[in-house]
Amino acid sequence: MSKGRLFIVSAPSGCGKGTILAEVFKDRKVYYSVSCTTRKPREGEVDGVNYFFLSEDQFSQMIAEDGFLEYATFAENSYGTPRKAVMEKLEQGIDTVLEIETKGAFQVKEKIPEAVMIFILPPSVRELDRRLRKRGTEDDETIAKRVSQAKGEIRKALDYDYVIMNDDLDPAIADFKEIIDNCTDPDARAQGFKTKNEQVKKMIEEVLEK
Ligand code: 5GP
């Protein structure tokens, strides 16, 4: 059996990443990796579903056991991808999705070069700020921190394989599907989302400026 494909998806929080992924993979067999984190659960989050919520000690233990495919610190919390489940699914031929931040994404790409890296952009930094406020799960200080962090993340989008923009949900979903389905076809529309294209680079710069 051939191996499953590995998709690494990154986006600043508030980019609608969850909504896009749910829609894209609705009719596709896929394994969503469940990460470990030392962050406290937000309201409604369930242990073992959204994340495995670990103590600092438990997280350190996982590192000591080489249990992570990658791990990184983000907003003063630790996040990591459990290695075993991901490698098993790929071996079983099941496509797998990692929703992780950029530092971890590059670690995975180094270990598994055939992984496909996709970055989802917000239309502008200002719009991202507005979406985070609307969500209402964080205070002003945290939001300001998240926005400045998002800018750093967006700069790294240039080193991803593909970048799409979530300005309107439906086109963003269509673009994402196009990458998943046709990225190996040299004539497909998917090629237009590659970061080697000048217009994609320009789009990233514009998002940072606005
Ligand atoms: P949040 O706290 O909002 O759920 O996630 C914060 C950031 O951590 C997001 O960018 C999310 O994609 C990222 N993240 C979630 N799980 C992992 C993981 O296992 N590894 C890494 N490196 N980042 C993760």
Side-chain angles (χ1 to χ4, degrees):
M1 193 189 341
S2 65
K3 276 184 146 197
R5 298 177 302 162
L6 181 60
F7 298 104
I8 307 171
V9 184
S10 302
S13 48
C15 269
K17 173 179 53 178
T19 316
I20 293 176
L21 290 177
E23 196 53 42
V24 167
F25 290 103
K26 199 171 59 182
D27 307 316
R28 291 167 168 79
K29 187 171 165 61
V30 75
Y31 170 67
Y32 284 101
S33 164
V34 180
S35 297
C36 298
T37 183
T38 59
R39 164 166 85 58
K40 297 280 163 283
R42 297 195 187 111
E43 215 178 301
E45 285 184 330
V46 178
D47 188 37
V49 176
N50 304 91
Y51 282 103
F52 296 105
F53 294 99
L54 303 187
S55 66
E56 299 281 351
D57 281 351
Q58 287 170 319
F59 199 92
S60 302
Q61 183 66 31
M62 276 285 281
I63 296 174
E65 290 166 2
D66 200 21
F68 289 125
L69 180 59
E70 62 71 35
Y71 64 94
T73 305
F74 186 90
E76 291 153 31
N77 293 301
S78 301
Y79 294 85
T81 303
R83 179 200 304 279
K84 193 164 171 272
V86 170
M87 300 319 284
E88 277 175 6
K89 296 293 172 188
L90 292 175
E91 281 302 327
Q92 289 163 14
I94 298 170
D95 288 348
T96 296
V97 176
L98 310 182
E99 278 186 59
I100 61 178
E101 54 70 66
T102 53
K103 293 188 290 293
F106 293 120
Q107 290 176 43
V108 177
K109 182 75 174 180
E110 215 172 285
K111 289 180 190 161
I112 308 178
E114 61 274 27
V116 178
M117 298 175 86
I118 305 170
F119 195 98
I120 304 173
L121 284 175
S124 68
V125 170
R126 205 183 316 130
E127 171 64 12
L128 185 68
D129 183 278
R130 196 189 65 78
R131 288 185 193 176
L132 284 174
R133 284 178 200 287
K134 201 170 140 207
R135 190 165 82 175
T137 49
E138 276 130 340
D139 59 34
D140 281 0
E141 197 190 322
T142 312
I143 289 174
K145 233 192 242 171
R146 291 246 167 192
V147 169
S148 110
Q149 219 160 27
K151 284 189 181 177
E153 293 270 292
I154 292 168
R155 284 189 195 101
K156 296 191 192 138
L158 284 164
D159 293 321
Y160 274 57
D161 297 315
Y162 298 91
V163 170
I164 63 162
M165 172 173 288
N166 184 16
D167 193 352
D168 275 326
L169 196 55
D170 287 343
I173 290 166
D175 293 348
F176 202 110
K177 283 184 181 166
E178 169 68 19
I179 294 169
I180 302 284
D181 293 336
N182 300 322
C183 62
T184 52
D185 175 354
D187 299 323
R189 192 171 74 87
Q191 301 304 321
F193 303 112
K194 279 207 163 146
T195 47
K196 66 172 198 264
N197 295 325
E198 280 311 313
Q199 62 272 35
V200 172
K201 288 187 187 141
K202 205 164 147 231
M203 180 170 80
I204 297 169
E205 296 300 333
E206 280 173 8
V207 168
L208 285 165
E209 280 162 22
K210 279 191 277 174

